Amino acid sequence: MNALPARPVLVDTSAGRAIAAAPPSAPAIAETKILPLKTPRGRRSTQLMSIGSEIASATIPPLLVLAVLLLVWQLATSGPDAALPSPTKIWTESNDLIVSPFFVNGSQDIGLGWRVITSLERVFYGFGLAAAVGVVIGAVIGQSVWAMRGLDPIFQVLRTVPPLAWLPISLAAFRDSGPSAVFVIFITAVWPVIINTAVGIRNIPQDYRNVADVLRLNPLEYFWRIMIPAAAPYIFTGLRIGIGLSWLAIVAAEMLTGGVGIGFFIWDAWNSSRLSDIVVALIYIGVVGFVLDRLVALAGRIATHGTSA
Amino acid sequence: MIAPANKPFLQLQSISKTFRRGGAETEVLHDISLDIANGEFISIIGHSGCGKSTLLNLIAGLTTVTTGAVLLEQHEVNEPGPERAVVFQNHSLLPWLTVYDNVRIAVDKVFAKTKSRAERHAWTLHNLDLVQMGHAKDKRPSEISGGMKQRVGIARALAMEPKVLLMDEPFGALDALTRAHLQDSVMQIHGRLGNTAIMITHDVDEAVLLSDRIVMMTNGPSARIGEVLDVKLPRPRNRLELVSDPHYIHAREAVLKFLYERHRYVEAA
Ligand SMILES: Nc1ncnc2c1ncn2[C@@H]1O[C@H](COP(=O)(O)OP(=O)(O)OP(=O)(O)O)[C@@H](O)[C@H]1O
Ligand SMILES: [Mg+2]
């Protein structure tokens, strides 16, 4: 299975927590195997039942907790002079945003789905660039003890610079908000990719290098056939942290650069005191961030299938 | 028989190897000389840590000699290459490739120019069949047993059609039954293909059964070749018949005496 939790190279605590989260357990599947053989139809129906109970056991607890939280929230904010909107108030005030993500009523009056897509597009470019550049730079650095020693402290410092601190420099360099936002994502996400890739490359067992040497693989073959697959678990740890940071960075950057992204929407809603809209946008952001994290994790699981043997 | 005028196939010429770490120097191998004929099967035996793997790595070109030279057909060996294929001590299969692809990567590399795609495919399968691993070609290394991995490692090395097959304790981590089975396979394959083979082992019976000559190394540091024993048993050899063969018993005794009387393993303090 995926050995991500064992990798000692996490550089972001929030992503680390997400990575350590256990996958949904599979006892329900195991149970079907020890059931005595019945007629095919009987077996299928018990199988269906066990799949159903598995889904139920995965969804009922979070739904229950959610209901309790909503209730507490409702009770806490139902007073006449509550500072924050209650769930029912949000439902009535921001109904269009919740119900239809993809409406278009004007250039700034569009559904949150469109805004998320705009933001995702920037993340796509920024993070894609960070992934490609990070893996290549990380691979180069991981090859050389001296590059590692010289550059690692610098990277460790740079990676702690908050995304928004890069924005003024970025705006000055690009003189345009679009590329600036992409650059901020790139510069935020690239460090964990570089660092993790480099560590992964350093940890390639001498055995694999010996195999490559005996076969006389050229540098390009070595990169594709040995380095990348051997370091893949580390690389994907870096990518996963990177995508999380990207999503953090885009929302913050868009607040300042404007446009139609989800980040600017929150800023705009704040300026016109639409607190209910902000709450809805927060939920969108959380869900999308979660999905992004899971997508990279899934890609990692597929790509590193069998690597940890 | 090799005429005296002919140069030996593989020559180790007064090799010594010194490792430097920080200020400290340790001479692991001292003045090793050996001539090996084409097609010979050589075993290297000696106590743990005496420098057997180091010697094999020198022949493979994975490490460089401090003084002396390794000559293969009169050419100095100074880098690794597929004509000196290695079966590593711990199989060293690439875990992200299937059994087939682990062999195919070697085949593709070595026969890129001389074999067509279809021929490379067939050659890969042929070598897997040689070690009876054709049935598991689509499995990953994590899905097969230790003995199977070792067989794939052997298939990968054989598939390179090496001039010299180097094996570092190829059966070290296996149970007795699997071990005997693989020894027989290696013996058969060597008999059929006639490659030159150098095998490191800790197992006296294995050495006698497989080898034409057994190279016995003294304890390190500064290990030397203590003795070379000719095993003049006819081939093909059968392990059951050999048990009572006087030549076999004599050879076995000679190696045991060397290892346990004259060069007893001294625990490092
Ligand atoms: N890269 C290295 N740097 C320093 N010393 C080394 C290095 N490689 C091996 N040695 C030393 O050389 C000596 C011989 O090692 P080697 O691995 O060749 O022994 P071996 O005979 O193969 O042992 P075993 O039977 O346990 O595999 C050991 O004392 C080891 O510590
Ligand atoms: Mg060894």
Side-chain angles (χ1 to χ4, degrees):
Chain A
M1 272 308 288
N2 202 332
L4 283 175
R7 310 291 172 186
V9 284
L10 295 174
V11 292
D12 179 86
T13 48
S14 67
R17 204 167 57 238
I19 286 165
S25 58
I29 292 173
E31 273 165 25
T32 57
K33 287 192 182 139
I34 50 172
L35 281 175
L37 280 177
K38 291 179 187 167
T39 62
R41 224 167 104 217
R43 228 166 78 205
R44 193 171 310 142
S45 73
T46 41
Q47 228 162 32
L48 274 178
M49 265 170 64
S50 81
I51 290 173
S53 76
E54 195 188 352
I55 292 172
S57 70
T59 51
I60 288 178
L63 285 178
L64 271 178
V65 172
L66 193 65
V68 171
L69 283 179
L70 282 174
L71 191 70
V72 172
W73 179 3
Q74 182 71 34
L75 293 176
T77 53
S78 56
D81 46 26
L84 296 174
S86 67
T88 48
K89 192 167 168 213
I90 292 170
W91 177 256
T92 47
E93 279 187 4
S94 307
N95 194 272
D96 55 341
L97 292 178
I98 299 169
V99 183
S100 55
F102 292 105
F103 67 83
V104 180
N105 291 340
S107 69
Q108 269 302 335
D109 191 8
I110 58 177
L112 287 182
W114 293 118
R115 293 180 185 277
V116 164
I117 286 174
T118 312
S119 299
L120 278 177
E121 204 178 313
R122 290 179 182 153
V123 167
F124 178 78
Y125 290 124
F127 176 71
L129 204 61
V133 172
V135 168
V136 171
I137 294 183
V140 172
I141 292 171
Q143 297 267 61
S144 147
V145 179
W146 284 104
M148 190 84 168
R149 281 188 198 153
L151 290 169
D152 190 60
I154 298 174
F155 290 166
Q156 295 292 351
V157 169
L158 285 178
R159 77 172 176 81
T160 63
V161 174
L164 278 193
W166 292 103
L167 193 60
I169 290 181
S170 178
L171 282 170
F174 292 99
R175 295 157 199 276
D176 186 2
S177 67
S180 299
V182 171
F183 175 77
V184 167
I185 292 173
F186 166 78
I187 204 77
T188 308
V190 78
W191 309 115
V193 181
I194 293 178
I195 294 168
N196 280 278
T197 304
V199 171
I201 301 285
R202 288 223 68 72
N203 281 323
I204 295 178
Q206 185 62 40
D207 295 342
Y208 302 164
R209 297 178 198 273
N210 284 345
V211 170
D213 283 346
V214 169
L215 290 177
R216 288 217 188 102
L217 297 186
N218 64 41
L220 201 65
E221 289 167 331
Y222 181 67
F223 180 79
W224 281 117
R225 307 228 48 184
I226 309 283
M227 257 166 48
I228 294 298
Y234 291 86
I235 293 173
F236 274 95
T237 304
L239 290 178
R240 205 165 161 192
I241 297 166
I243 194 78
L245 291 178
S246 299
W247 196 233
L248 295 182
I250 184 66
V251 172
E254 282 176 348
M255 282 190 173
L256 300 187
T257 57
V260 285
I262 187 92
F264 179 70
F265 174 82
I266 292 186
W267 190 244
D268 192 38
W270 164 247
N271 282 332
S272 41
S273 312
R274 301 194 312 267
L275 279 182
S276 298
D277 288 2
I278 294 180
V279 174
V280 176
L282 288 186
I283 293 168
Y284 265 85
I285 291 171
V287 169
V288 172
F290 175 80
V291 170
L292 285 179
D293 180 67
R294 284 305 149 105
L295 280 180
V296 176
L298 182 71
R301 251 202 310 282
I302 294 168
T304 62
H305 168 66
T307 304
S308 42
Chain B
M1 280 277 109
I2 295 163
N6 271 7
K7 285 277 172 37
F9 181 68
L10 177 65
Q11 257 183 309
L12 314 184
Q13 290 183 332
S14 349
I15 292 173
S16 58
K17 176 67 187 176
T18 304
F19 284 111
R20 290 187 182 78
R21 190 168 281 162
E25 287 193 4
T26 29
E27 188 183 50
V28 174
L29 297 173
H30 178 78
D31 195 22
I32 305 264
S33 291
L34 188 70
D35 289 352
I36 298 169
N38 198 355
E40 238 187 326
F41 197 116
I42 302 278
S43 287
I44 301 176
I45 199 163
H47 290 292
S48 184
C50 71
K52 303 182 296 296
S53 294
T54 307
L55 181 58
L56 201 79
N57 284 345
L58 289 174
I59 302 173
L62 290 166
T63 30
T64 51
V65 293
T66 309
T67 61
V70 178
L71 298 181
L72 177 61
E73 295 179 315
Q74 276 49 263
H75 293 291
E76 185 166 359
V77 164
N78 41 26
E79 58 169 2
E83 78 280 0
R84 281 160 284 119
V86 185
V87 177
F88 293 94
Q89 196 159 355
N90 50 354
H91 69 74
S92 298
L93 298 183
L94 303 174
W96 52 89
L97 297 181
T98 60
V99 163
Y100 174 87
D101 284 330
N102 263 290
V103 178
R104 181 68 190 261
I105 188 177
V107 173
D108 279 347
K109 195 58 199 169
V110 176
F111 300 104
K113 299 207 176 73
T114 50
K115 277 185 174 29
S116 73
R117 240 185 128 71
E119 283 171 334
R120 294 200 297 263
H121 171 72
W123 181 242
T124 304
L125 292 181
H126 169 76
N127 280 279
L128 283 172
D129 286 338
L130 221 51
V131 294
Q132 282 121 46
M133 282 302 293
H135 62 94
K137 69 183 176 60
D138 295 321
K139 295 219 163 94
R140 296 198 185 246
S142 56
E143 297 164 338
I144 59 178
S145 73
M148 292 162 111
K149 282 182 219 171
Q150 209 52 270
R151 279 194 257 168
V152 179
I154 294 170
R156 177 174 64 186
L158 287 175
M160 298 181 213
E161 279 195 330
K163 290 177 178 163
V164 184
L165 179 62
L166 303 169
M167 296 178 276
D168 193 346
E169 295 184 39
F171 318 121
L174 306 178
D175 65 281
L177 271 177
T178 316
R179 205 182 165 101
H181 180 72
L182 279 188
Q183 286 166 353
D184 288 341
S185 316
V186 165
M187 209 159 28
Q188 268 174 24
I189 293 167
H190 176 252
R192 197 156 4 127
L193 306 180
N195 323 45
T196 307
I198 303 177
M199 176 182 74
I200 294 176
T201 180
H202 277 134
D203 183 331
V204 177
D205 288 299
E206 180 172 288
V208 179
L209 179 67
L210 292 175
S211 322
D212 296 313
R213 278 193 292 163
I214 302 174
V215 173
M216 293 171 257
M217 293 182 64
T218 65
N219 291 335
S222 300
R224 292 167 294 107
I225 294 182
E227 206 171 297
V228 179
L229 179 78
D230 273 308
V231 184
K232 293 200 181 78
L233 291 166
R235 291 178 187 273
R237 298 174 182 173
N238 177 312
R239 67 176 67 239
L240 291 177
E241 289 166 13
L242 283 181
V243 176
S244 51
D245 186 301
H247 267 303
Y248 180 86
I249 294 170
H250 170 77
R252 210 174 165 274
E253 204 174 86
V255 179
L256 282 171
K257 279 211 169 116
F258 178 90
L259 287 177
Y260 298 103
E261 279 180 13
R262 279 183 285 150
H263 292 277
R264 288 249 299 276
Y265 182 56
V266 195
E267 281 291 335

